[in-house]
Amino acid sequence: MASSEAATHRSRLRRVPELAGRRGRAGWARMTAGFFQAVQMTVAAVGAYVIAERLLGHHGPIFAATAALVSLGYAKGGLRYRRVLEVSIGCTLGIVVGDLLIHLLGPGEWQATVVLLVSLLLARFLDNGAIFTTQMGLQSVLVVLLPPSQDGVFARSLDAVVGCLCALVLAYIVPQDPRREPRQDLSKLIDEFTRILTDCSHAVADTDSRLAWHALVRGRQTQPLVDSVRTGLMGSREITHASPLYRRHRHEIDELSESIRYLDLAVRNSRVFARRLASVLNRVTLADDAVTSLSEALADLSDAVLSLGHALAVSHEQTRESYLRQTRNELFSVAQRLEPGAMGIRTMEGEALVLLLRPMVVDLLEAAGVSHETAAKSLPALGGQ
């Protein structure tokens, strides 16, 4: 027993460097990904402080810096302008309400209670957003608890306005590249999708239902990635419509949005396929020809998805179009083989698998820019039709 515990302890110790390295890589990735926003937040906060101190003559205008900082924040691409505006209004209103009530009620603990309660209720009346409510309550109670400003009753409110305006100006004029976050999330989604299809291919080749179940579990974990891409694209579309710097990328963002729409459908179909494949492999033995043709089709489909990922990841138009042509050719090649009889499939269960693959290929072709009619016509007629 003691030797077993010692072995377990040594095994855990050996994993420490691996876990530390993984956390270090993850932290470095987060740091590099957030570098631009960190610079943006720093410039906004320091700029707001300098403007309030030197142009308005305020002493220690900390609320100008904090308002700019919390307004920008580490917001993800989705609805970024709305978030900045929402936090800015909540922050400013909280300070205004705090200044007003402290002027009427005076400083003190019960006054702080009243200010906070009124601010929170007013925030819920004005907006149902959690960020708006939190910022309004936080800023108003800070006004009450901190020493009064020597620059006048509403000096801190004016500082907050300066800070929020600095945040909005930076978010509007110098936004983050709207294509970066959606492409990063798309890359993760494509990677998982290809692994799902590869696992399914190996499951068929090895007649291993466990691999199919692994593919199903992996597929069920892809929905947050899809949702993240959609959210990022909403914010990207917002930026390309509002910022003069990135309006030229509007068409590219629209194309990415159209692709993720069909890619989402294909990923959903892969989950259904993996679930059905696990059941079939548990109950039916496929013929050798069927195993070979189905496994190869899934492997080729995985390669096509990888090509699609390359196409969606590049910004150069000609390179992207080259990858899309490659993707379409690979998908057309798979589509033309999806006829159960031609694949050596003779059982109803095997035919069901092919029937599930057909709409997945159509969805992927549409994600690659092919019309639905052309994608559907690329599939061979089923036996008896």
Side-chain angles (χ1 to χ4, degrees), residues 28 37 53 73 76 88 140 163-164 172 180 212 214 221-222 224 232 262 268 271 290 293 299 340 361 363:
W28 178 262
Q37 282 182 272
E53 183 182 48
K76 192 171 174 63
S88 298
S140 62
C164 294
Y172 179 80
R180 194 182 72 168
H214 291 165
Q221 294 173 347
T222 56
Y262 294 109
R268 292 174 188 270
R271 295 199 286 265
S293 59
V361 173
D363 291 333

Short mmCIF file of all heavy atoms in Angstrom, two decimals, residues 28 37 53 73 76 88 140 163-164 172 180 212 214 221-222 224 232 262 268 271 290 293 299 340 361 363:
data_model
loop_
_atom_site.label_atom_id
_atom_site.label_comp_id
_atom_site.label_asym_id
_atom_site.label_seq_id
_atom_site.Cartn_x
_atom_site.Cartn_y
_atom_site.Cartn_z
N TRP A 28 0.72 32.86 -21.61
CA TRP A 28 1.41 33.64 -22.65
C TRP A 28 0.47 33.92 -23.80
O TRP A 28 0.46 35.04 -24.35
CB TRP A 28 2.64 32.89 -23.12
CG TRP A 28 3.38 33.59 -24.22
CD1 TRP A 28 3.29 33.36 -25.56
CD2 TRP A 28 4.29 34.69 -24.07
NE1 TRP A 28 4.10 34.22 -26.26
CE2 TRP A 28 4.72 35.05 -25.37
CE3 TRP A 28 4.79 35.38 -22.98
CZ2 TRP A 28 5.63 36.07 -25.59
CZ3 TRP A 28 5.69 36.41 -23.21
CH2 TRP A 28 6.11 36.75 -24.50
N GLN A 37 -5.42 45.37 -26.42
CA GLN A 37 -6.40 45.96 -25.52
C GLN A 37 -5.74 46.56 -24.29
O GLN A 37 -6.20 47.58 -23.76
CB GLN A 37 -7.43 44.91 -25.10
CG GLN A 37 -8.49 44.64 -26.18
CD GLN A 37 -9.50 43.62 -25.70
OE1 GLN A 37 -9.32 42.43 -25.85
NE2 GLN A 37 -10.58 44.09 -25.11
N GLU A 53 -6.80 66.59 -15.44
CA GLU A 53 -5.91 67.31 -14.53
C GLU A 53 -5.38 68.60 -15.15
O GLU A 53 -5.40 69.66 -14.49
CB GLU A 53 -4.74 66.40 -14.15
CG GLU A 53 -3.78 67.04 -13.14
CD GLU A 53 -2.61 66.13 -12.81
OE1 GLU A 53 -1.99 65.59 -13.76
OE2 GLU A 53 -2.31 65.96 -11.62
N GLY A 73 -12.13 47.84 -20.71
CA GLY A 73 -12.05 46.49 -20.18
C GLY A 73 -11.51 45.49 -21.19
O GLY A 73 -11.15 45.82 -22.31
N LYS A 76 -14.58 40.95 -25.13
CA LYS A 76 -14.42 40.16 -26.34
C LYS A 76 -15.04 40.93 -27.48
O LYS A 76 -15.84 41.84 -27.28
CB LYS A 76 -15.09 38.80 -26.16
CG LYS A 76 -14.73 37.81 -27.28
CD LYS A 76 -15.24 36.44 -26.94
CE LYS A 76 -15.02 35.48 -28.10
NZ LYS A 76 -13.62 35.26 -28.41
N SER A 88 -19.86 52.86 -19.89
CA SER A 88 -19.61 54.29 -19.76
C SER A 88 -20.80 55.00 -19.13
O SER A 88 -20.66 55.82 -18.21
CB SER A 88 -19.32 54.90 -21.14
OG SER A 88 -18.16 54.33 -21.70
N SER A 140 -21.11 54.83 -7.65
CA SER A 140 -21.84 55.71 -6.72
C SER A 140 -21.41 55.51 -5.28
O SER A 140 -21.27 56.48 -4.52
CB SER A 140 -23.35 55.47 -6.86
OG SER A 140 -23.68 54.13 -6.49
N GLY A 163 -13.34 60.43 -18.92
CA GLY A 163 -12.82 59.08 -19.04
C GLY A 163 -13.61 58.23 -20.02
O GLY A 163 -13.04 57.51 -20.85
N CYS A 164 -14.93 58.31 -19.94
CA CYS A 164 -15.78 57.51 -20.83
C CYS A 164 -15.66 57.98 -22.28
O CYS A 164 -15.67 57.16 -23.20
CB CYS A 164 -17.23 57.59 -20.36
SG CYS A 164 -17.50 56.83 -18.75
N TYR A 172 -13.60 53.58 -31.01
CA TYR A 172 -14.13 53.89 -32.34
C TYR A 172 -13.03 54.11 -33.36
O TYR A 172 -13.07 53.57 -34.47
CB TYR A 172 -15.01 55.14 -32.25
CG TYR A 172 -15.58 55.57 -33.59
CD1 TYR A 172 -16.71 54.94 -34.12
CD2 TYR A 172 -15.00 56.60 -34.32
CE1 TYR A 172 -17.24 55.32 -35.35
CE2 TYR A 172 -15.52 57.00 -35.54
CZ TYR A 172 -16.63 56.36 -36.05
OH TYR A 172 -17.15 56.74 -37.26
N ARG A 180 -9.45 39.22 -36.35
CA ARG A 180 -8.51 38.38 -35.61
C ARG A 180 -9.22 37.37 -34.71
O ARG A 180 -8.97 36.16 -34.80
CB ARG A 180 -7.57 39.25 -34.77
CG ARG A 180 -6.37 38.46 -34.26
CD ARG A 180 -5.48 39.31 -33.41
NE ARG A 180 -6.09 39.58 -32.11
CZ ARG A 180 -5.43 40.12 -31.08
NH1 ARG A 180 -4.16 40.46 -31.23
NH2 ARG A 180 -6.02 40.34 -29.94
N ALA A 212 -15.80 6.10 -31.90
CA ALA A 212 -16.97 6.85 -32.34
C ALA A 212 -17.59 7.62 -31.17
O ALA A 212 -18.03 8.77 -31.33
CB ALA A 212 -18.00 5.91 -32.96
N HIS A 214 -15.92 8.68 -28.58
CA HIS A 214 -14.98 9.78 -28.33
C HIS A 214 -15.25 10.94 -29.29
O HIS A 214 -15.22 12.12 -28.89
CB HIS A 214 -13.54 9.30 -28.48
CG HIS A 214 -13.11 8.35 -27.42
ND1 HIS A 214 -11.97 7.57 -27.52
CD2 HIS A 214 -13.66 8.03 -26.23
CE1 HIS A 214 -11.84 6.83 -26.44
NE2 HIS A 214 -12.85 7.09 -25.64
N GLN A 221 -18.68 19.08 -27.45
CA GLN A 221 -17.92 20.17 -26.84
C GLN A 221 -17.62 21.30 -27.83
O GLN A 221 -16.98 22.28 -27.45
CB GLN A 221 -16.61 19.62 -26.27
CG GLN A 221 -16.82 18.66 -25.11
CD GLN A 221 -15.54 17.98 -24.66
OE1 GLN A 221 -14.52 18.04 -25.36
NE2 GLN A 221 -15.57 17.33 -23.50
N THR A 222 -18.06 21.14 -29.08
CA THR A 222 -17.76 22.18 -30.08
C THR A 222 -18.76 23.33 -30.07
O THR A 222 -18.45 24.39 -30.61
CB THR A 222 -17.74 21.57 -31.49
OG1 THR A 222 -19.00 20.93 -31.75
CG2 THR A 222 -16.62 20.57 -31.65
N PRO A 224 -19.80 25.49 -27.78
CA PRO A 224 -19.29 26.77 -27.26
C PRO A 224 -18.35 27.47 -28.24
O PRO A 224 -18.33 28.70 -28.30
CB PRO A 224 -18.55 26.36 -25.97
CG PRO A 224 -19.20 25.09 -25.55
CD PRO A 224 -19.56 24.39 -26.81
N GLY A 232 -18.18 36.68 -31.75
CA GLY A 232 -17.08 37.49 -32.26
C GLY A 232 -17.42 38.16 -33.57
O GLY A 232 -17.04 39.32 -33.80
N TYR A 262 -23.11 27.73 -42.17
CA TYR A 262 -23.17 26.37 -42.70
C TYR A 262 -22.22 25.43 -41.97
O TYR A 262 -22.49 24.23 -41.85
CB TYR A 262 -22.86 26.39 -44.20
CG TYR A 262 -23.91 27.12 -45.00
CD1 TYR A 262 -23.64 28.36 -45.59
CD2 TYR A 262 -25.18 26.59 -45.16
CE1 TYR A 262 -24.61 29.04 -46.31
CE2 TYR A 262 -26.16 27.26 -45.87
CZ TYR A 262 -25.86 28.48 -46.45
OH TYR A 262 -26.83 29.15 -47.16
N ARG A 268 -23.06 20.09 -36.38
CA ARG A 268 -24.22 19.43 -35.75
C ARG A 268 -24.47 18.07 -36.41
O ARG A 268 -24.77 17.08 -35.72
CB ARG A 268 -25.45 20.32 -35.87
CG ARG A 268 -25.39 21.59 -35.04
CD ARG A 268 -26.58 22.50 -35.33
NE ARG A 268 -26.46 23.79 -34.69
CZ ARG A 268 -26.90 24.09 -33.48
NH1 ARG A 268 -27.53 23.15 -32.77
NH2 ARG A 268 -26.76 25.29 -32.97
N ARG A 271 -22.15 15.37 -35.15
CA ARG A 271 -22.53 14.78 -33.86
C ARG A 271 -23.57 13.68 -34.05
O ARG A 271 -23.48 12.62 -33.42
CB ARG A 271 -23.06 15.87 -32.92
CG ARG A 271 -22.02 16.90 -32.54
CD ARG A 271 -22.43 17.67 -31.30
NE ARG A 271 -23.50 18.62 -31.56
CZ ARG A 271 -23.30 19.90 -31.82
NH1 ARG A 271 -22.06 20.38 -31.90
NH2 ARG A 271 -24.32 20.72 -31.99
N ALA A 290 -17.13 -1.90 -47.72
CA ALA A 290 -17.84 -0.79 -47.07
C ALA A 290 -16.94 -0.10 -46.06
O ALA A 290 -16.92 1.14 -45.97
CB ALA A 290 -19.11 -1.31 -46.39
N SER A 293 -14.24 2.01 -48.06
CA SER A 293 -14.78 3.18 -48.75
C SER A 293 -15.29 4.23 -47.76
O SER A 293 -15.07 5.44 -47.94
CB SER A 293 -15.91 2.77 -49.71
OG SER A 293 -16.95 2.11 -48.99
N ALA A 299 -11.93 10.23 -44.02
CA ALA A 299 -10.57 10.81 -43.97
C ALA A 299 -10.44 11.94 -44.98
O ALA A 299 -9.86 13.00 -44.68
CB ALA A 299 -9.54 9.72 -44.25
N PRO A 340 -24.51 4.43 -51.48
CA PRO A 340 -24.26 3.20 -50.71
C PRO A 340 -23.83 2.02 -51.56
O PRO A 340 -22.87 1.30 -51.21
CB PRO A 340 -25.60 2.95 -50.01
CG PRO A 340 -26.23 4.29 -49.89
CD PRO A 340 -25.81 5.04 -51.12
N VAL A 361 -21.92 17.03 -46.25
CA VAL A 361 -21.09 17.48 -47.37
C VAL A 361 -21.73 18.68 -48.06
O VAL A 361 -21.03 19.63 -48.45
CB VAL A 361 -20.87 16.33 -48.37
CG1 VAL A 361 -20.16 16.83 -49.62
CG2 VAL A 361 -20.06 15.21 -47.72
N ASP A 363 -23.62 20.94 -46.64
CA ASP A 363 -23.38 22.09 -45.75
C ASP A 363 -21.96 22.62 -45.91
O ASP A 363 -21.74 23.84 -45.93
CB ASP A 363 -23.64 21.70 -44.30
CG ASP A 363 -25.10 21.44 -44.00
OD1 ASP A 363 -25.95 22.02 -44.69
OD2 ASP A 363 -25.38 20.66 -43.07
#
